Amino acid sequence: MFIETKLHPPELRSGLIERPDLERQLSQVMQGKLTIVSAAAGFGKSTLLGQWLGRLTGACWGWLSLDQGDNELSRFLEYLVAALQRADSSIARDVPALLKSSPVLPIDSVMTIIVNDLARYGKDVVLVLDDSHVLTSPGITGFLEALLTYAPPGFHLVLATRGEIPLKVANMRVRGQMVRIDDASLRFSLAETRAFLNRLRGLALSEADVALLQHRTEGWIAALQLAALSLENRPDKSDFINSFSGTDRDIADFLMQDVLGRLPEPVIDFLLKTSVLDRMSAQLVEAVTGRSDAAALLGEVDQANLFVIRLDQHRVWYRYHHLFQNLLLSLLRQRQPELVAQLHRKAALWLTGNGFTVDAVHHALAAGDNALAASLVETCCMPLIREGHITRVRAWLASLPEDLVNSQPRLQLAQVWILFHMSRAVPAAAILKSARNDIARAEKEGSLSPREQMELRSELQALTAGVISAADRSRTAARLAQAWLARFPEGQHFSRGTLGNILGFSLYSLGELEAARLACLRARDSHALANSVFGVVYSDLIIGLSEQAAGRLMAAHEQFSRATRHAREALGPGSYAEAMVGIFVVELLYEWDDIPGAERLLEEHRQIIEECGLVVHEMACKLNVAKLAACRGRSDEALSVLESAERQGMATRYRRLFAAALHERVRLLLQRGDAAAARLALKGRGIDEGWIASPRSWRPASEPEHIALARVLSAEGRPEAALRILERLTERLRREGRLHRFAQVRAVAAVAAHQSGDALSALAAIVDVVSLCAPQKAVRTLLDEGAPLLDVLAFGRGRIPSWKTGSEPGQFVERLLSGHQRIEREQALARSRPKASHFSQREAELARLLSRGQSNRELAAALNMAPDTVKWHLKNIFGKLGVSNRTQAVLRLQEFGLTQNAPPASLPERVG
């Protein structure tokens, strides 16, 4: 799949012409961010840049040779990152794991990692993109524009192109950050033409003949090379020169008459047939041409200098000069148009057999053989999906005719896998229905082999349960998954593991924790047999969530740590699989009152989850953002995030996730003393005493709404009504062993009972809470209840004997009481300050330097970042401080005590 030779400049032949004037122009590359070397084919762009890089000192560099297949964002990023890592392995080190494991292309996360790594590297980095005119995708050009905007000054992008590139570079040109070298500079001068023809090619031409050729070709290197080929062994050199035009219009006729016309017919036939190949090796050429002497002919063409470029030092892979290839293709289409599709098809078959699937699909499509292309995609799509290459499969499916995709069950199921990963249950269900009917029809017609039937049926079952689960119909999904797993075919490890994880997650959602753990332990074994890292990590994640729900937080953390280690060992740091687990570790750190640790981990994984995460993980991320904002005193920010989470939960029809966000919003509104707003929030979602009386409301997904309504009833002075709701919840949670939520419900019940004057019930509830939370060090569930719960604790401390000693419960209660006082002080201080003093690490560094009165350029130099990046950070700082200029910002920072000498320890660490 990955073509290593694309990361190497073309091998330079001996005896090249030195071009000191151009090299002096290229020295300006290091003064700007962008260099464009623009000219038509045949002007020596690649050769020039290869010469320059060979002499470059004091900087590292990477090279990427592009082709039409790279005009797809995921493939482009894969090669771009590989080229940067060739420059230095520390740059973008975490990106390959992220690209490999993420179900959705994490563009912003990739950008952040690259820019931050370049900034940390601190040295000059040159990246050359050869043949960059093929990059027309808006996604790719937008990525490059952002990279140029935010990368540090030491990053230098060089684009070699045959035409204009759709990049917005006007501002860079005005600021002097762009160097442009065009065909006027690339053309050979008279002295260079003389050196090439006489010294290098040994033609011994007169000064007049050299000058005439220089005039006729206007220094176009390809035309001069063609002329030199034709002049060899010609006695009538001057006559030929007088008739040679060297113009683009006549070059095809010239090639046919004076270059190809002088070659043996077998060599011409070889050249024409291999012109369909963007890269070629002896084995590939033999397969395409059918010639057993392909290796010898390829070597002969190379030795004859017939516009063949070596792509590696071992002389295994070659390509034609683009100008030469285009002309050969044109001649092939004129002479033997019927061969073009056949040659592409042979190339596709050889490439498939040798592991170059992407190129194989390209050739099949170029052959116009959509059936072959579809067959190739059918063959390789599931291995790629298992490895997490969702975007690549999606691009292939988009390139095939829609009616063809819809007629092939395997391709339909591939579409469903993609939609399933994207949490798009409704369109997935529609395609799944069609696929089910088509599979049944094919089975009836006998067009599927027994193995194909088994594979398709296995996937169909896994995806059916998955789509039902994604629609928040956990009971139905669990019932189907259990029935199918009981008779699941042997050998279908990935589908079995996926179905097992779906069963585990559905059971977890229903509160059946032991059954969920058992299902995921079995699923984990299946995924291990399938070598599915993502599947194994997801199994461990659900097991950890089940432990957390059972109130065993330490065991949950151990399970999450196991999953994280596996993701790192298999994929490297920074993968989507690691982020998927990390976002739930944030919850544990928050519960343990490690707020700085929770904030650091959230910022590490938040961008990846928000870009690529399944809806479950994205919602967990938003709840974490809201809770951390609220505990820092930023309640407006928290409420805004929660409202957004509610809307997303409703849009995706995930009641459980929507309910969790609504409950948290009600809790924060009540903490503000706004019971009317809390009641209105519930009413707006259809939650009231009438709704709660409905049997349909009593399911695990709706439990947060029950707790929220109980809170509102207590705030409205009706604690007895609240207790009736909470007692019913308590009974079920205790019975099912869901002790984490049980502790939360008992805490709310303790407050309600204390409010109603029922001291005995209040003490019984608070004893339950402390006995469960103390061994697990779960404090935030209780601290977030605020002063009302602290009153109950204080009331109990004087009446419960075990709390008066130095026992574990007694120490835990003392920690809660002292912790509440600390939180009150922190939140009072936060309320006295402007909103959003929550800086990233880079923003904190820049903020501490502002008081020195340094200019943006001086700030950029001090922090080794681009001036545009400084402006971007300053804009964020001004917004967080609530100011509009630098003077106001300095005054506000002094108010915070955040001057140039103040330590940043109080700020959460974050890569800016």
Side-chain angles (χ1 to χ4, degrees):
M1 295 294 297
F2 190 85
I3 303 170
E4 180 74 17
T5 54
K6 289 165 65 69
L7 305 179
H8 302 281
E11 185 182 358
L12 300 178
R13 298 177 182 272
S14 59
L16 293 173
I17 299 297
E18 297 296 327
R19 311 195 71 184
D21 290 341
L22 274 176
E23 293 207 24
R24 276 193 293 273
Q25 288 189 56
L26 283 171
S27 66
Q28 299 174 31
V29 169
M30 311 307 289
Q31 308 304 315
K33 276 191 173 182
L34 175 64
T35 298
I36 297 178
V37 182
S38 177
F43 274 93
K45 300 181 294 294
S46 303
T47 300
L48 171 68
L49 291 171
Q51 285 178 288
W52 175 67
L53 290 175
R55 295 189 177 94
L56 186 63
T57 58
C60 63
W61 56 268
W63 179 285
L64 174 56
S65 295
L66 297 161
D67 55 49
Q68 291 292 342
D70 298 317
N71 193 36
E72 187 265 314
L73 186 54
S74 62
R75 177 177 163 99
F76 171 74
L77 290 178
E78 181 181 2
Y79 279 108
L80 177 80
V81 167
L84 286 170
Q85 291 200 286
R86 281 302 182 96
D88 191 278
S89 59
S90 68
I91 302 172
R93 179 178 52 198
D94 295 347
V95 175
L98 179 58
L99 289 175
K100 184 176 181 181
S101 63
S102 173
V104 180
L105 193 61
I107 303 169
D108 292 342
S109 299
V110 171
M111 174 66 69
T112 300
I113 293 171
I114 291 175
V115 169
N116 288 343
D117 285 355
L118 288 170
R120 278 191 289 267
Y121 185 65
K123 301 176 185 176
D124 284 313
V125 178
V126 177
L127 176 63
V128 178
L129 302 183
D130 195 20
D131 291 325
S132 53
H133 53 272
V134 303
L135 303 178
T136 58
S137 162
I140 294 177
T141 56
F143 183 90
L144 290 176
E145 287 168 2
L147 180 59
L148 289 167
T149 298
Y150 296 118
F155 175 69
H156 312 283
L157 179 64
V158 180
L159 303 178
T161 174
R162 281 190 253 169
E164 290 300 319
I165 302 172
L167 290 179
K168 299 172 184 176
V169 297
N171 290 337
M172 299 189 71
R173 187 183 295 114
V174 170
R175 294 195 301 266
Q177 291 185 328
M178 190 182 100
V179 177
R180 188 177 188 93
I181 299 174
D182 57 20
D183 58 353
S185 300
L186 290 165
R187 296 178 188 276
F188 269 2
S189 66
L190 180 60
E192 289 168 337
T193 300
R194 183 188 307 111
F196 173 73
L197 294 171
N198 288 344
R199 179 170 60 80
L200 189 60
R201 304 306 294 264
L203 294 174
L205 299 179
S206 67
E207 189 67 21
D209 285 341
V210 170
L212 185 56
L213 264 181
Q214 163 69 18
H215 173 70
R216 290 284 176 83
T217 62
E218 297 181 347
W220 184 21
I221 300 168
L224 287 168
Q225 187 175 359
L226 287 168
L229 281 171
S230 189
L231 284 166
E232 290 176 358
N233 303 317
R234 272 186 182 271
D236 54 341
K237 291 184 173 59
S238 294
D239 291 343
F240 170 80
I241 291 170
N242 284 325
S243 63
F244 180 71
S245 71
T247 63
D248 189 27
R249 292 189 304 273
D250 297 333
I251 210 72
D253 290 339
F254 169 78
L255 269 174
M256 198 157 41
Q257 296 171 13
D258 290 81
V259 177
L260 298 179
R262 301 173 63 187
L263 295 173
E265 190 57 38
V267 175
I268 296 174
D269 182 71
F270 174 85
L271 293 173
L272 295 179
K273 288 179 177 177
T274 54
S275 65
V276 301
L277 303 173
D278 294 325
R279 279 168 300 277
M280 54 190 171
S281 66
Q283 293 84 357
L284 174 56
V285 166
E286 182 176 338
V288 170
T289 64
R291 298 185 63 104
S292 58
D293 59 346
L297 274 172
L298 188 58
E300 183 181 330
V301 169
D302 180 31
Q303 290 299 317
N305 199 20
L306 283 173
F307 299 95
V308 174
I309 298 171
R310 303 165 189 161
L311 297 179
D312 58 62
Q313 295 179 345
H314 305 292
R315 301 189 182 185
V316 175
W317 288 95
Y318 299 82
R319 70 169 174 85
Y320 289 120
H321 189 289
H322 296 303
L323 172 67
F324 192 52
Q325 183 186 20
N326 290 341
L327 291 168
L328 289 174
L329 270 172
S330 177
L331 291 173
L332 176 65
R333 292 186 180 111
Q334 291 175 24
R335 293 184 176 187
Q336 298 173 293
E338 74 284 354
L339 279 184
V340 175
Q342 297 176 29
L343 296 169
H344 276 298
R345 192 174 191 282
K346 290 179 180 178
L349 295 175
W350 186 91
L351 290 165
T352 300
N354 288 273
F356 299 99
T357 312
V358 173
D359 288 328
V361 175
H362 160 72
H363 279 285
L365 291 171
D369 193 340
N370 289 325
L372 173 60
S375 174
L376 294 174
V377 176
E378 284 184 303
T379 301
C380 63
C381 64
M382 275 312 297
L384 289 173
I385 288 171
R386 282 195 290 268
E387 294 172 8
H389 293 293
I390 302 295
T391 54
R392 181 164 297 167
V393 177
R394 186 169 58 189
W396 284 348
L397 294 176
S399 68
L400 291 169
E402 185 176 353
D403 57 344
L404 177 59
V405 174
N406 292 337
S407 68
Q408 302 295 323
R410 156 58 56 223
L411 299 183
Q412 288 175 303
L413 291 183
Q415 281 187 305
V416 178
W417 280 110
I418 292 166
L419 293 168
F420 175 54
H421 277 284
M422 297 170 68
S423 300
R424 297 180 59 190
V426 174
I431 298 174
L432 195 61
K433 181 179 180 181
S434 175
R436 186 183 298 110
N437 294 335
D438 289 346
I439 291 170
R441 186 183 308 111
E443 287 175 337
K444 187 175 181 180
E445 294 171 352
S447 58
L448 295 176
S449 68
R451 179 179 179 82
E452 287 173 329
Q453 289 185 47
M454 182 173 62
E455 290 177 351
L456 291 173
R457 280 291 172 188
S458 300
E459 287 178 43
L460 190 62
Q461 290 177 347
L463 288 169
T464 299
V467 168
I468 292 171
S469 174
D472 205 18
R473 295 167 57 197
S474 299
R475 181 69 64 190
T476 303
R479 177 174 52 79
L480 290 174
Q482 286 171 325
W484 287 332
L485 282 170
R487 53 181 185 274
F488 210 77
E490 294 297 325
Q492 301 302 305
H493 303 303
F494 179 73
S495 293
R496 173 184 282 276
T498 301
L499 187 57
N501 276 345
I502 292 165
L503 172 61
F505 182 78
S506 299
L507 292 171
Y508 160 76
S509 300
L510 293 167
E512 300 177 25
L513 303 183
E514 290 301 324
R517 275 193 290 266
L518 181 60
C520 286
L521 284 170
R522 292 170 175 164
R524 191 183 196 281
D525 291 341
S526 296
H527 278 304
L529 291 172
N531 295 316
S532 171
V533 176
F534 186 88
V536 169
V537 171
Y538 204 80
S539 297
D540 283 338
L541 171 61
I542 302 171
I543 295 170
L545 290 173
S546 299
E547 295 286 0
Q548 183 178 355
R552 296 189 287 267
L553 306 190
M554 306 294 184
H557 189 265
E558 183 178 343
Q559 195 69 36
F560 291 155
S561 297
R562 173 186 178 182
T564 301
R565 284 194 304 272
H566 186 76
R568 281 179 167 263
E569 290 168 1
L571 301 170
S575 69
Y576 169 71
E578 181 183 348
M580 179 179 67
V581 178
I583 212 67
F584 290 100
V585 177
V586 172
E587 288 186 21
L588 293 181
L589 297 178
Y590 178 83
E591 187 64 74
W592 290 331
D593 204 27
D594 182 3
I595 303 305
E599 288 173 329
R600 283 194 295 271
L601 194 61
L602 177 64
E603 290 306 319
E604 180 181 343
H605 297 309
R606 178 180 177 180
Q607 189 173 21
I608 297 172
I609 291 298
E610 288 181 344
E611 273 193 274
C612 315
L614 297 170
V615 65
V616 176
H617 308 128
E618 188 177 354
M619 291 292 286
C621 180
K622 287 183 175 178
L623 289 174
N624 287 332
V625 170
K627 288 180 179 180
L628 288 167
C631 84
R632 291 295 194 187
R634 305 193 307 274
S635 58
D636 284 344
E637 177 187 339
L639 288 168
S640 176
V641 171
L642 290 169
E643 286 188 51
S644 171
E646 282 180 53
R647 289 193 296 271
Q648 183 179 2
M650 293 182 69
T652 55
R653 302 183 183 183
Y654 249 98
R655 181 92 194 197
R656 183 172 59 86
L657 303 179
F658 146 78
L662 177 61
H663 166 261
E664 197 64 23
R665 184 157 71 99
V666 166
R667 183 182 70 80
L668 292 180
L669 289 171
L670 292 174
Q671 277 191 354
R672 284 183 161 188
D674 197 345
R679 169 63 79 170
L680 188 62
L682 290 176
K683 187 176 181 180
R685 304 303 186 197
I687 310 300
D688 56 19
E689 290 84 343
W691 170 82
I692 212 167
S694 166
R696 291 189 62 187
S697 74
W698 286 93
R699 56 176 183 162
S702 298
E703 287 170 355
E705 294 159 310
H706 288 245
I707 302 171
L709 182 57
R711 289 182 185 278
V712 170
L713 289 169
S714 290
E716 292 174 341
R718 300 164 60 194
E720 295 83 2
L723 284 169
R724 285 193 292 272
I725 296 172
L726 296 172
E727 286 168 2
R728 188 173 176 183
L729 272 179
T730 298
E731 181 183 347
R732 183 167 69 182
L733 291 168
R734 193 198 304 270
R735 183 176 64 250
E736 295 177 356
R738 291 187 287 131
L739 300 183
H740 188 59
R741 181 167 287 172
F742 173 84
Q744 182 186 39
V745 170
R746 291 297 278 162
V748 178
V751 172
H754 191 250
Q755 180 186 352
S756 71
D758 187 349
L760 188 60
S761 295
L763 290 174
I766 202 65
V767 166
D768 280 348
V769 171
V770 171
S771 64
L772 287 171
C773 293
Q776 300 297 323
K777 300 180 173 56
V779 297
R780 284 310 306 198
T781 289
L782 309 183
L783 291 174
D784 286 348
E785 294 300 323
L789 185 71
L790 272 294
D791 291 342
V792 180
L793 285 168
F795 177 74
R797 182 172 55 175
R799 291 167 176 77
I800 301 172
S802 63
W803 289 10
K804 298 177 182 178
T805 67
S807 64
E808 181 183 59
Q811 292 176 353
F812 183 73
V813 170
E814 291 302 320
R815 181 186 174 190
L816 288 170
L817 292 172
S818 62
H820 179 66
Q821 295 169 359
R822 170 181 59 80
I823 290 170
E824 282 189 326
R825 289 195 302 271
E826 290 176 354
Q827 292 187 345
L829 181 61
R831 285 191 293 269
S832 70
R833 294 176 174 177
K835 297 175 184 176
S837 58
H838 179 193
F839 296 145
S840 71
Q841 181 176 327
R842 296 295 271 178
E843 288 168 355
E845 292 170 355
L846 196 149
R848 290 196 302 278
L849 294 175
L850 270 180
S851 59
R852 297 180 182 177
Q854 292 181 330
S855 67
N856 286 3
R857 187 173 294 278
E858 289 169 332
L859 289 171
L863 296 175
N864 192 30
M865 62 173 65
D868 282 341
T869 308
V870 170
K871 292 178 183 177
W872 180 57
H873 283 309
L874 284 176
K875 180 181 178 182
N876 290 339
I877 290 170
F878 291 173
K880 291 179 179 182
L881 295 176
V883 300
S884 58
N885 59 51
R886 295 166 67 98
T887 302
Q888 293 173 349
V890 170
L891 291 173
R892 191 61 57 89
L893 290 167
Q894 289 173 349
E895 179 186 336
F896 287 2
L898 186 60
T899 64
Q900 61 191 46
N901 298 317
S906 62
L907 294 170
E909 294 180 11
R910 175 183 174 189
V911 177

